[in-house]
Each structure stands twice: as structure tokens, then as C-alpha cells.
């Protein structure tokens, strides 16, 4: 008898991973047998953290309870639908913080469905983290604001290291 593994991809830049991302990753892990966290990047653009560091920060931030069912990989210059096909994922899981995310994500979900038939599953973001994004936390941190609780502790440390 063959067992069907239900696998999803959680894509993003994760530069760096936030508490909002982690909330979605943990909830995706409860819905699927396997979650592939896909860090999609363009090697021509450096970003805040090198992609290898982003991978480490996601891996180190994952609660132990989900580590077995979640793998974290980087993909350079790839279409998300091709990543899904390569890893054997039937769905993409994304969090929606509000209407702006919805407007941004809908055309991508439809385009991805059009290209290969892959479905996108949207999870409502945790209300308490609605204002949290990688770019905003970096900006707040840069000017000395308190981002405790918005990012995992390892990310806070990594941001402090960047400033030193
Ligand atoms: O964390 P982000 O920056 O919001 O993630 C956006 C990301 C990387 C998920 C999106 O840009 C993406 O899917 N890029 C891969 C290239 C691709 O497939 N583009 C067509 C989307 S319809």
C-alpha cells in the first residue's frame, strides 16, 4: 500500500523570519504532513541577510514540536510553481494580514493556479501580528525601536550583530 504524503510549500524572502511567519509555518505543519519552507531569492540582490543565514535563522526559530515535519530550503531564480512541482507539493500556504496582502496575493495565487494547477491556501494572520513584516521590523530596529516579540530571539540577536 502506498501512503500519500500531503506536502505544502510556504514561500517567501524570509529576510528575516518574523513571528508572523512562524505562526503560519506552525499552523501549516498542523494541516500538512510535510512543509517545505522555500526561501526564494535572486542572487543578484544581496538583501539584509545572506540566504544561508536566512536558512539558519528559520531552522533555529522553528519550535521543536514541528521540526520533524518542516524542511527549509533555498531556491535561486525559480518560479514558485516549479519549486512546488520539484518538491511534490500540492499546495502553497500563505498568511494574509489584511486587505493589502489579499490584493497582493490574489493575482499570484491565480497565476500559479493557471500555470500548473497548484492551489494556494490562505491562513488569516494572527491579529496581534498584523503590523509585523520583515521590512518594518528592520526599520524600527535600525532606529532603536523595540521589536521584542515581533521576531524570534535568534533574529533579534542576528540584527544586533549586524549593527556591531
Ligand atoms: O516574502 P515575500 O517577498 O512576500 O515573498 C514573495 C515570493 C518570493 C513568494 C514571490 O515573489 C514569489 O513567489 N517569487 C517566485 C517567482 C515567481 O514564481 N513569480 C511569479 C509569481 S505568480
Amino acid at each position: 500500500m502506498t501512503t500519500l504524503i500531503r506536502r505544502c510549500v510556504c514561500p517567501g524572502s524570509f529576510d528575516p523570519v518574523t513571528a508572523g511567519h512562524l505562526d503560519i509555518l506552525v499552523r501549516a505543519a498542523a494541516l500538512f504532513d510535510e512543509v517545505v519552507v522555500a526561501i526564494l531569492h535572486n542572487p543578484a540582490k544581496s538583501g539584509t541577510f545572506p540566504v544561508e543565514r536566512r536558512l539558519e535563522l528559520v531552522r533555529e526559530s522553528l519550535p521543536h514540536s514541528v521540526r520533524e515535519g518542516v524542511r527549509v530550503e533555498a531556491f535561486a531564480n525559480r518560479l514558485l510553481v516549479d519549486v512546488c512541482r520539484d518538491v511534490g507539493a500540492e499546495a502553497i500556504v500563505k498568511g494574509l494580514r489584511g486587505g493589502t496582502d489579499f490584493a497582493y496575493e490574489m493575482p499570484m495565487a491565480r497565476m500559479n493556479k493557471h500555470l500548473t494547477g497548484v492551489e494556494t491556501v490562505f491562513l488569516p494572520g494572527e491579529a496581534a501580528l498584523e503590523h509585523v513584516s520583515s521590512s518594518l521590523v528592520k526599520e524600527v530596529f535600525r532606529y532603536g525601536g523595540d521589536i521584542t516579540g515581533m521576531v524570534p530571539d535568534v533574529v533579534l540577536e542576528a540584527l544586533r550583530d549586524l549593527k556591531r
Side-chain angles (χ1 to χ4, degrees):
M1 198 178 78
T2 52
T3 314
L4 178 70
I5 300 279
R6 309 209 79 156
R7 192 178 288 115
C8 74
V9 167
C10 289
S13 310
F14 298 98
D15 189 26
V17 62
T18 67
H21 290 129
L22 280 177
D23 171 53
I24 298 300
L25 299 183
V26 169
R27 288 160 61 195
L31 294 172
F32 288 84
D33 300 314
E34 261 182 41
V35 175
V36 179
V37 181
I39 302 186
L40 294 154
H41 67 108
N42 175 352
K45 295 186 185 161
S46 57
T48 301
F49 290 100
V51 72
E52 283 307 318
R53 188 72 183 119
R54 294 185 221 170
L55 284 165
E56 285 171 1
L57 290 171
V58 177
R59 289 184 182 131
E60 290 168 15
S61 303
L62 288 169
H64 284 278
S65 56
V66 300
R67 283 191 187 182
E68 209 173 299
V70 179
R71 57 181 219 256
V72 190
E73 292 178 24
F75 300 88
N77 296 333
R78 299 292 308 284
L79 275 179
L80 176 54
V81 289
D82 291 335
V83 170
C84 291
R85 195 154 38 198
D86 288 359
V87 303
E90 64 193 275
I92 296 160
V93 173
K94 288 211 171 173
L96 291 183
R97 286 165 296 196
T100 308
D101 279 355
F102 181 79
Y104 174 70
E105 295 291 348
M106 276 302 274
M108 291 201 283
R110 290 198 169 110
M111 177 60 82
N112 289 330
K113 175 91 167 103
H114 180 111
L115 291 173
T116 63
V118 69
E119 295 285 5
T120 298
V121 176
F122 290 124
L123 298 179
E126 178 64 52
L129 299 171
E130 200 181 323
H131 53 295
V132 173
S133 66
S134 300
S135 51
L136 264 189
V137 295
K138 283 186 290 194
E139 183 169 323
V140 171
F141 180 81
R142 189 180 314 129
Y143 297 115
D146 183 6
I147 56 166
T148 309
M150 298 185 203
V151 293
D153 290 347
V154 284
V155 169
L156 193 52
E157 246 344 279
L159 285 167
R160 284 189 184 127
D161 286 345
L162 279 187
K163 251 190 183 176
R164 282 183 192 127

